Amino acid sequence: MSNFSNFIGGSWRGSDAARLPVDDPSTGEVTGSVPDSGAAEVDAAVAAARQAFETGPWARMTPADRATVLRDLASALEARFDDLVDGLVADTGCSVRMCPMLQAGAPLAHLRDFADMAPLLEKPVPYPIQSTPGFGQWELHREPVGVVGAFTPYNFPLFIAVWKIAPALLAGNTVVVKPSPLTPFGLDAFARAAEEVGLPPGVVNVVHGDRVAGEALVASPGVDLITFTGSTAVGKRVLAAAAGTAKDVILEMGGKSPAVVLPDADVELAVRGTLFSSMMHGGQACVATTRMLVPDSRYDEFLEVLRARSERLVVGPAADFATDVGPVVSQAQRVKVEKYVSAAVERGARVLTGGERPSGVPDGGHYVAPTVLVDLDNDNPAASDEIFGPVLSVLRYRDVDDAIRIANDTQYGLAAAVWSADLERARSVAARLQGGLVWINDVAQADVARTPFAGKKQSGVGTELGPDGLFAYTKVKSLYTALDDNLDARPYGAVGSDWE
Ligand code: NAD
């Protein structure tokens, strides 16, 4: 059993809080627990982070020296890569074929990629306005914001933690992270690596728990910036609560991303890409293209290929190498997904494949068969809401304007894909789609940490990743230095001025 502890001020702390069970999604077996921390644990972690920021060495080190520590953290995690993969497979239910790259490898690459961005923080940055000739000079300094409160979702626990911790640390901040209580292993592994590389105490703190700990962290006057990844519903609550202390806020939230298939698209490419995007990791990826828009003229042909391909997907335990689609994270998530499917059918949708509990999988695991819903409208909740399970909704359209209207008719604006043999045409459609990340003839691509990620509409506030995502963890200080001491030249020193 893994009974996880909070990591506060460089030490592992027990807690009097009640504990929340953690299970293995592939079997449903309880594998451990986390403390359901409250205000006391959060206050201790924020105080440790504050002290480390105000009086410790971290904020005073150079960006290049902090980058060296990020690389050390990547190496420490890499040194126990196999354990990391095993732990993340059991924790998240992500299939062992995807997990090494998606859950374990990508965070290491991102730590190193952020480290390479250290030169962007060298000071002072040349100021973009002209210095006042003969009087003074301006400089722009990028300073750390202070104490960062970070929230991570259950689906990519280590990966998304690194999206936040790496730029926050590189910029000189200290961090309190509250991971999802469903998948605590990734942050535990990160804290152990931090301990091993000698990160100064209090620079990274991990407080396990759920809503109560989350609310305490958002409300804490000792926290300067909140960075949240999770659902749109919770993100909006976080945004409202952060207003109480006027904190800076970065939000990366939910999505219901369209895959717009143009009439000349390659059917195999579009179907296989869209099925991968929507079913991978049990359909629990924020950028999954879960609404496939297919032209009337090729609807039947696409359904044929979709049926054949989705029926071949193997559902099974995450640790089984043959598994294409693993379980969803919890029993509650499985019930939620199943309800969406049955409600969609009640409102007129047809199940092309899936729709039932899969057979031949371990009892107790949280399995959902890969499900393709067809003949539904965009206002069917299965087409408009983020389900976060292996469910693809296929919508038909008349012409390209109709496709773009349907694609954008959503509260979300996270990602989108366009499939077409005509790249010029695909680019003109991509330009009209409301998504922060748009792919042409592919899915799930990113240039490590260099690709900025900024959800539009109710998918995001602010930017993560890329230089903009790094600068989000800084505050600008504009510094002016007078270059002479000529009182007469100043408005408050001129003869006859009111200030004389
Ligand atoms: P969630 O919103 O339920 O939880 C996210 C985090 O917020 C967790 O740590 C949770 O414990 C905490 N939390 C819950 N209630 C809170 C409250 N009232 N105050 C403060 N914190 C609170 O999300 P989830 O179910 O863990 O993750 C799935 C969601 O995350 C999906 O909507 C998915 O699209 C989204 N996601 C978005 C991105 C992105 O980059 N846009 C990436 C991954 C996941």
Side-chain angles (χ1 to χ4, degrees):
M1 292 289 258
S2 303
N3 291 316
F4 295 94
S5 297
N6 294 330
F7 184 68
I8 296 175
S11 58
W12 298 94
R13 303 256 185 109
S15 161
D16 295 335
R19 299 192 74 85
L20 301 167
V22 178
D23 79 358
D24 178 341
S26 297
T27 61
E29 275 167 38
V30 173
T31 52
S33 66
V34 292
D36 190 6
S37 306
E41 290 83 355
V42 168
D43 288 351
V46 172
R50 188 91 250 155
Q51 193 184 352
F53 181 72
E54 305 286 353
T55 62
W58 191 253
R60 277 149 285 281
M61 287 164 62
T62 63
D65 287 345
R66 292 193 293 257
T68 301
V69 179
L70 293 190
R71 293 191 185 96
D72 290 348
L73 281 163
S75 301
L77 287 163
E78 195 169 42
R80 57 174 95 92
F81 193 74
D82 292 347
D83 293 343
L84 192 61
V85 171
D86 289 349
L88 288 165
V89 166
D91 198 46
T92 63
C94 187
S95 74
V96 71
R97 284 214 321 270
M98 299 303 302
C99 190
M101 190 263 283
L102 265 183
Q103 302 277 7
L108 308 188
H110 278 64
L111 275 166
R112 291 175 173 136
D113 216 36
F114 268 117
D116 289 346
M117 292 187 207
L120 295 176
L121 296 172
E122 293 304 329
K123 296 177 184 178
V125 179
Y127 202 69
I129 62 164
Q130 287 218 328
S131 293
T132 317
F135 291 104
Q137 140 192 319
W138 285 99
E139 288 163 9
L140 179 155
H141 291 258
R142 288 194 189 277
E143 299 188 337
V145 183
V147 174
V148 171
F151 292 86
T152 52
Y154 75 77
N155 58 338
F156 293 107
L158 181 61
F159 191 12
I160 288 178
V162 164
W163 285 14
K164 299 173 183 310
I165 297 173
L169 292 194
L170 185 65
N173 302 280
T174 60
V175 184
V176 177
V177 194
K178 204 223 59 68
S180 165
L182 299 173
T183 53
F185 175 82
L187 260 303
D188 187 77
F190 191 91
R192 288 180 196 284
E195 202 178 19
E196 195 178 311
V197 304
L199 197 70
V203 172
V204 169
N205 307 272
V206 179
V207 179
H208 293 285
D210 202 3
R211 195 177 52 77
V212 178
E215 287 174 353
L217 187 56
V218 178
S220 172
V223 174
D224 301 292
L225 179 151
I226 291 292
T227 174
F228 169 92
T229 297
S231 61
T232 294
V234 175
K236 286 191 212 170
R237 258 180 257 146
V238 166
L239 184 62
T245 40
K247 292 178 171 59
D248 287 326
V249 177
I250 304 164
L251 303 174
E252 291 298 341
M253 302 180 283
K256 187 77 181 179
S257 301
V260 179
V261 178
L262 296 183
D264 61 356
D266 178 323
V267 61
E268 280 292 330
L269 194 63
V271 164
R272 290 170 77 164
T274 305
L275 278 178
F276 173 77
S277 164
S278 56
M279 305 294 178
M280 178 260 286
H281 192 15
Q284 300 163 112
C286 55
V287 292
T289 50
T290 48
R291 285 188 301 148
M292 189 176 199
L293 275 57
V294 178
D296 280 335
S297 58
R298 297 187 67 191
Y299 191 65
D300 294 340
E301 175 195 353
F302 265 77
L303 295 204
E304 194 107 325
V305 181
L306 269 167
R307 183 203 304 276
R309 284 279 163 201
S310 62
E311 279 176 350
R312 284 170 57 171
L313 294 172
V314 176
V315 184
D320 186 338
F321 206 77
T323 293
D324 295 311
V325 180
V328 295
V329 75
S330 65
Q331 169 71 4
Q333 187 64 17
R334 173 166 75 168
V335 169
K336 178 182 157 194
V337 177
E338 289 174 343
K339 276 190 182 154
Y340 264 109
V341 172
S342 55
V345 171
E346 274 165 31
R347 287 186 57 150
R350 180 164 62 90
V351 174
L352 184 73
T353 59
E356 289 175 348
R357 288 217 174 152
S359 55
V361 291
D363 290 344
H366 315 309
Y367 298 95
V368 177
T371 298
V372 180
L373 296 172
V374 299
D375 301 346
L376 70 174
D377 298 325
N378 200 37
D379 59 1
N380 189 315
S384 56
D385 294 359
E386 183 184 53
I387 299 176
F388 238 51
V391 182
L392 173 65
S393 296
V394 184
L395 309 164
R396 53 199 297 167
Y397 70 83
R398 288 188 310 278
D399 53 33
V400 170
D401 286 342
D402 192 33
I404 291 167
R405 180 191 59 76
I406 297 168
N408 289 337
D409 181 17
T410 165
Q411 62 171 316
Y412 298 113
L414 199 55
V418 185
W419 300 90
S420 173
D422 179 343
L423 291 189
E424 272 315 299
R425 198 166 178 217
R427 288 175 68 84
S428 78
V429 170
R432 295 171 65 191
L433 294 176
Q434 296 163 343
L437 195 52
V438 182
W439 301 286
I440 293 173
N441 292 334
D442 210 340
V443 287
Q445 286 290 347
D447 183 13
V448 204
R450 284 173 288 256
T451 309
F453 191 32
K456 293 194 163 71
K457 294 154 77 176
Q458 294 189 33
S459 287
V461 172
T463 304
E464 243 180 354
L465 303 173
D468 291 323
L470 172 60
F471 294 153
Y473 292 90
T474 66
K475 278 277 195 187
V476 166
K477 179 182 278 175
S478 295
L479 179 65
Y480 175 80
T481 309
L483 295 179
D484 68 34
D485 54 4
N486 181 359
L487 181 61
D488 290 345
R490 297 184 174 146
Y492 49 85
V495 175
S497 102
D498 290 345
W499 296 95
E500 205 174 15

